Amino acid sequence: MVTRPNETPPQEFNPWLHVCSLIESAGELLGLDEGMLKRIIAPERVLEVAVPIRMDSGEVAMYTGWRIQHDTSRGPGKGGIRFHPSVNADEIAALSADMSIKCAVVNIPYGGAKGGVAVDPALLSRAELERLTRRYAFSIAPMIGPDRDIPAPDINTDTQVMSWIMDTVSMLRGQNTPGVVTGKPLAIGGTLGHAGATSLGVTICTAAILQRMGRLANEQRVVIQGYGKVGAPLVKLLSDRGMKIVGIADIRGAIHVPEGINHLRLAEHVAEAGTVVGYPGAELVPADLLFTLPSDIAIPAALGGFVTEDIAKSMSASIMVEAANGPTTGEGAAVLASRNIPVVPDVLANAGGVVASYFEWAQDLQGFMWERELFQQRLEKTMHESFNHIWARHKDLNVTLRETAIAVGVERIAEATELRGLFP
Ligand code: NAD
């Protein structure tokens, strides 16, 4: 369960305690007083719900779900919903705090939240998945809404799951409520440009750090872990900017192509084979050796916790851009810092997705849909400005980009908390 850091931390990596220590370090850097720090760390609301559903067989199965609002001082909570067997309260709390920081880093008017159900959706039929989604949405409905907390897709949830949540809440309230979730299909209040927005933000951050380091895009070799909603568009976007993608991994294995992967041929291959493995002419390499392949930029775009101390020590690249959420352990981050490898942290690098969600929500509230060009122009502007701000502050503060980004996020949350005062 979600607890405050104490003197006897558990032996195993605990994402919630990890994020608490990152916020505490930021507080120290900023000179925040203890009362403010306590208020920023503690999640505002933690809801645990039982999710019983009738299976197709007629039996009743029971799952557990959560929705956690970490901080809403800057605006309604914002954060995805994940369906995964390993989901638990500590993980959701940590991810909700990450969202508070991420929304503050890109300066959009949201707080942070996250939700999930401990379930393997691959074991459910489509009808069972719909019943699970609707029952979970019903149970968290008192806590969510366009002015309270706005969920979005995350691991194993997609536009269809968002449609069911939007419909369940709309039925409950007796009115169409598109602004209750983002990442919806276009036909029911989604936005042009949402798909691929995270990858576009990662690409902008990659290009920006190359420029700051005086390096040319067309001289960069890139390795990417993950070929999913984020990784696949990245292969095209980075290739379009002249970078050579020399290694990619998915859950089935890793491939190495020193002369560079053709994004169209890879997309065709994956459409047929269902995996990057077997791409014509590629050498198959063990997945944990992907980041040792000769390269200049490493991009984790799959799981949390992949970049451990060992992976960081053996990494060939001299820049890392975090497309995944929480891909680097504390020990991994320390090794990268000691090797002077700059890391564009997740709260900045993958924030394009939540910026896109903000634009979708704004359109739903206005009832006025934007053209794709306007969406893209505003997304690019927000990501450029955010990167530039974090870069400038990191030069002033003389700490890593990650420490800077967390400090900037915490500083903005503290400012809002201070201005609003302490109720009652
Ligand atoms: P996804 O499920 O679409 O794709 C995940 C990819 O990772 C797949 O190619 C899968 O095969 C691969 N993978 C899984 N386990 C692996 C393993 N052990 N080794 C190598 N590859 C493995 O997920 P996604 O939406 O692309 O998200 C990827 C990461 O980006 C996650 O950390 C997610 O939280 C983060 N993220 C996603 C978005 C978004 O807009 N989708 C936004 C912000 C952050």
Side-chain angles (χ1 to χ4, degrees), residues 82 154 198 225-230 249-251 301-303 323-325 350:
R82 62 173 59 175
D154 194 67
T198 303
Q225 188 208 34
Y227 190 76
K229 293 188 288 289
V230 178
D250 65 18
I251 196 160
L303 300 174
N325 277 319
N350 71 29

Side-chain angles (χ1 to χ4, degrees), residues 140-417:
I140 66 167
M143 203 162 143
I144 61 175
D147 301 320
R148 290 181 197 161
D149 177 358
I150 307 115
D154 194 67
I155 292 174
N156 290 331
T157 58
D158 57 11
T159 53
Q160 179 59 73
V161 169
M162 294 307 113
S163 305
W164 288 328
I165 296 176
M166 179 274 209
D167 184 67
T168 303
V169 172
S170 296
M171 291 297 138
L172 276 170
R173 304 205 173 147
Q175 62 185 66
N176 200 38
T177 314
V180 68
V181 284
T182 56
K184 299 180 295 297
L186 262 184
I188 55 169
T191 179
L192 289 165
H194 201 296
T198 303
S199 316
L200 178 59
V202 174
T203 304
I204 289 169
C205 289
T206 307
I209 193 163
L210 286 177
Q211 196 241 332
R212 296 305 169 112
M213 296 180 73
R215 286 163 52 166
L216 294 174
N218 60 12
E219 291 174 358
Q220 310 304 312
R221 296 157 303 167
V222 185
V223 287
I224 303 175
Q225 188 208 34
Y227 190 76
K229 293 188 288 289
V230 178
L234 256 185
V235 178
K236 177 183 184 319
L237 290 169
L238 297 177
S239 302
D240 286 350
R241 293 193 183 226
M243 292 173 230
K244 198 192 273 185
I245 316 301
V246 294
I248 301 187
D250 65 18
I251 196 160
R252 305 266 292 276
I255 56 167
H256 184 208
V257 185
E259 62 280 9
I261 290 164
N262 177 294
H263 71 86
L264 287 174
R265 279 174 66 204
L266 180 64
E268 278 168 21
H269 169 74
V270 173
E272 264 179 35
T275 170
V276 298
V277 173
Y279 175 80
E283 177 199 356
L284 187 64
V285 291
D288 56 349
L289 294 187
L290 177 75
F291 282 6
T292 67
L293 300 175
S295 58
D296 305 290
I297 302 172
I299 305 188
L303 300 174
F306 172 68
V307 186
T308 57
E309 190 175 357
D310 287 347
I311 298 276
K313 277 183 185 158
S314 61
M315 184 184 290
S316 157
S318 49
I319 293 176
M320 188 165 88
V321 183
E322 294 183 338
N325 277 319
T328 312
T329 64
E331 293 79 13
V335 170
L336 295 174
S338 72
R339 293 184 60 199
N340 287 324
I341 295 179
V343 177
V344 185
D346 51 3
V347 288
L348 172 62
N350 71 29
V354 77
V355 174
S357 280
Y358 166 46
F359 293 164
E360 178 178 334
W361 174 78
Q363 292 171 65
D364 289 336
L365 294 189
Q366 285 177 319
F368 181 76
M369 307 316 279
W370 304 354
E371 286 150 11
R372 186 184 292 274
E373 293 70 27
L374 179 63
F375 177 96
Q376 178 119 349
Q377 186 195 336
R378 288 183 168 168
L379 178 66
E380 290 186 14
K381 183 169 182 283
T382 305
M383 291 307 298
H384 277 295
E385 285 176 358
S386 305
F387 182 92
N388 292 344
H389 183 72
I390 298 299
W391 186 268
R393 287 293 301 275
H394 124 92
K395 291 288 172 195
D396 287 347
L397 292 168
N398 200 21
V399 294
T400 63
L401 287 167
R402 185 190 314 282
E403 288 163 318
T404 307
I406 295 171
V408 166
V410 168
E411 186 176 52
R412 287 180 174 155
I413 296 167
E415 184 191 2
T417 305

